[in-house]
Amino acid sequence: MVIGHYAVAMAAKRVAPRTSLGTLIAAAILLDLIWPVLVLFGIEIVAVTPGATAVTPLIFVSYPYSHSLLMSIVWGLLFAGGYFVARRYVPGTITLGVLVVSHWILDAVVHVPDLPLTPWGSTRIGLGLWNSRPLSLGVELALFCFGLALYIGTTSRRNSTGTWGLGLMAAVMLLIYAGAIFGPPPPSANIVAWTGMGQWLVVVLAAWMDRHRRAS
């Protein structure tokens, strides 16, 4: 899942209005920010196999430290704990921890059974929505529209940048999704990892845009 993660982060602004949208998105995609680093260091493994599913050509061979349920809870506690030390904002702290774990839950809906429960267990989870492109598109776009609508309803613009910046952010998110769904298979696992690191752009863009809007 891609923009579905962005969607829950935008929706979460309603329950943690003082937390930057950039921070909320960083939490929602934290596992996908950690994963490329582990792939580049050879700790986790992904294979490019065109036709692996209707949506993605990637087979996630091994990613126990970034994408197991247990480790998502650990990463959530660490991220939320760091935020609490820095900000002392309880609603934001709880929301960030939940967002990190929500990544695993949303991935479990779309992935084929490849998500581990623990780094050392053999059980793999996944409902396989990626086997249907129309269903995958429908679910993610519906989530995205819902999350964006909640964010817009929760905030108002401080200035004109708060309007066109929001449009720019939404456009970038949708372009990333379109590239992931309709783009050609990447030539190598390393390219996949480096491309995945590009999601930091969304975090930075969201943090910048959010400063030009205020909680209603």
Side-chain angles (χ1 to χ4, degrees):
M1 188 165 282
V2 182
I3 55 174
H5 299 309
Y6 303 151
V8 295
M10 290 188 289
K13 186 74 174 180
R14 174 156 293 190
V15 294
R18 285 168 46 192
T19 302
S20 167
L21 181 61
T23 305
L24 293 169
I25 288 178
I29 64 171
L30 182 65
L31 306 189
D32 282 348
L33 296 176
I34 294 168
W35 173 74
V37 178
L38 298 181
V39 170
L40 289 171
F41 278 97
I43 297 171
E44 297 191 340
I45 303 169
V46 63
V48 180
T49 307
T53 70
V55 171
T56 178
L58 304 181
I59 294 179
F60 299 95
V61 179
S62 175
Y63 52 173
Y65 304 109
S66 67
H67 277 74
S68 66
L69 176 58
L70 177 60
M71 287 305 299
S72 74
I73 295 170
V74 171
W75 292 122
L77 290 172
L78 290 173
F79 192 88
Y83 179 84
F84 180 75
V85 170
R87 301 295 185 187
R88 303 289 178 175
Y89 179 45
V90 174
T93 299
I94 296 171
T95 300
L96 292 173
V98 171
L99 281 174
V100 175
V101 180
S102 78
H103 186 107
W104 190 94
I105 295 170
L106 290 176
D107 274 4
V109 174
V110 297
H111 279 232
V112 297
D114 59 21
L115 288 160
L117 294 177
T118 67
W120 52 83
S122 59
T123 302
R124 298 290 182 269
I125 304 297
L127 298 180
L129 194 65
W130 273 346
N131 287 319
S132 170
R133 179 173 287 185
L135 282 177
S136 296
L137 284 167
V139 168
E140 288 222 53
L141 289 172
L143 278 174
F144 182 76
C145 292
F146 176 73
L148 182 60
L150 276 182
Y151 178 78
I152 292 172
T154 301
T155 62
S156 59
R157 71 175 197 165
R158 294 181 185 273
N159 47 49
S160 61
T161 304
T163 299
W164 68 260
L166 178 61
L168 174 63
M169 182 194 72
V172 169
M173 290 175 172
L174 290 170
L175 283 172
I176 290 173
Y177 184 55
I181 298 297
F182 299 109
S188 69
N190 277 356
I191 296 298
V192 173
W194 283 113
T195 302
M197 297 286 280
Q199 289 196 87
W200 280 106
L201 170 64
V202 176
V203 174
V204 173
L205 180 59
W208 166 78
M209 182 279 300
D210 195 57
R211 287 200 294 270
H212 296 277
R213 299 184 68 86
R214 64 170 64 90
S216 301

